[in-house]
Amino acid sequence: MSKVLRSILITLIINGAVPYLLYVWLSGNMSSFAALSIATIVPMADNLLHLARHKKLDVFGGMMLFTFLLGLGMVLLGGDEKLLLIRESFVTAAVGALFLVSLLFPRPLIYHLAMRFSSKDGSEKSNFADNWQIPYFRYVIRLMTIVWGMMLLVEAAVRITLVYELTTEQFLAISNIVFYCFIGAAIGWTVLYRRRSKVRLMEIKSTMLCK
């Protein structure tokens, strides 16, 4: 478990914290476009390194890179103060839509993210992949994907609405609170549902072994 947590932490630092801090530091000395362009190099380099090592793209890193590239596109659009305030919400909405669109593929995004953070020894990844043959497991993964996709879309819609209902000062004061409340709710639901579904999955696998 410690290896999994360490892997998650390292990925979040490389693909999230480092680019963000780099952007904040550079934006004081150059344009937002230039700062964001440079900050995007970090997750891009990490994805290319992962591709060179494992001959496949890192789904989580790729998703983080996608959000930075989309943010870069939003900077290029420019616009008034309101548009700048809802720029992050557009990115959140795009990620939410990405979750839902992934349902059209053989394995949705949540599956790939879970595989990304599974144990490195291979046994956990193998068990997780084998579970895909069980209908109930596929249902759980798809439901989690739907919940996360809808949660991100609703969060984006709420914050976009608040931009036009509140003053800039009021919005900036509660924007992050709204974001973390939604994310916290999604994480809390995921943890509780995962515990319950894990018990159910074990029962199903036990029944299958007895047959």
Side-chain angles (χ1 to χ4, degrees):
M1 187 64 178
S2 60
K3 291 182 179 180
V4 176
L5 292 176
R6 185 164 61 249
S7 175
I8 294 174
L9 182 60
I10 292 174
T11 300
L12 288 174
I13 290 174
I14 294 176
N15 293 282
V18 172
Y20 174 74
L21 293 175
L22 186 60
Y23 168 74
V24 171
W25 178 57
L26 292 173
S27 59
N29 303 301
M30 59 183 69
S31 67
S32 294
F33 176 75
L36 195 55
S37 297
I38 295 174
T40 304
I41 293 175
V42 178
M44 185 178 295
D46 181 60
N47 273 269
L48 291 175
L49 182 61
H50 187 277
L51 179 62
R53 284 182 176 178
H54 305 284
K55 307 304 179 184
K56 63 179 181 180
L57 287 173
D58 177 8
V59 175
F60 183 79
M63 189 174 70
M64 297 296 291
L65 178 60
F66 168 73
T67 62
F68 273 97
L69 291 176
L70 186 58
L72 196 61
M74 294 302 297
V75 170
L76 280 172
L77 290 177
D80 59 13
E81 186 180 69
K82 296 295 186 182
L83 181 58
L84 292 175
L85 288 175
I86 63 177
R87 187 172 61 198
E88 291 183 2
S89 295
F90 281 146
V91 174
T92 304
V95 174
L98 190 62
F99 271 90
L100 298 180
V101 170
S102 74
L103 291 166
L104 301 175
F105 294 89
R107 289 174 172 79
L109 191 55
I110 286 290
Y111 175 89
H112 295 290
L113 293 177
M115 284 288 286
R116 170 65 177 81
F117 295 119
S118 295
S119 174
K120 297 294 185 180
D121 61 12
S123 60
E124 187 176 339
K125 287 181 180 293
S126 178
N127 290 334
F128 193 86
D130 291 341
N131 286 339
W132 186 255
Q133 305 305 317
I134 302 174
Y136 177 72
F137 181 79
R138 297 197 296 270
Y139 167 79
V140 169
I141 294 298
R142 289 187 172 118
L143 179 59
M144 286 184 174
T145 302
I146 291 172
V147 169
W148 273 91
M150 292 303 299
M151 189 70 75
L152 291 173
L153 287 176
V154 172
E155 186 277 337
V158 169
R159 287 212 292 171
I160 289 173
T161 301
L162 291 176
V163 166
Y164 292 97
E165 294 295 329
L166 304 175
T167 64
T168 299
E169 292 76 14
Q170 291 172 333
F171 175 78
L172 292 175
I174 69 169
S175 176
N176 285 335
I177 296 176
V178 172
F179 175 77
Y180 287 116
C181 282
F182 273 92
I183 296 301
I187 292 174
W189 175 85
T190 301
V191 170
L192 293 175
Y193 183 64
R194 182 180 178 276
R195 288 176 182 172
R196 191 181 72 174
S197 60
K198 185 177 181 180
V199 173
R200 174 60 179 154
L201 182 63
M202 293 299 293
E203 292 174 349
I204 293 174
K205 293 176 74 172
S206 296
T207 302
M208 292 173 62
L209 290 174
C210 292
K211 291 182 178 181

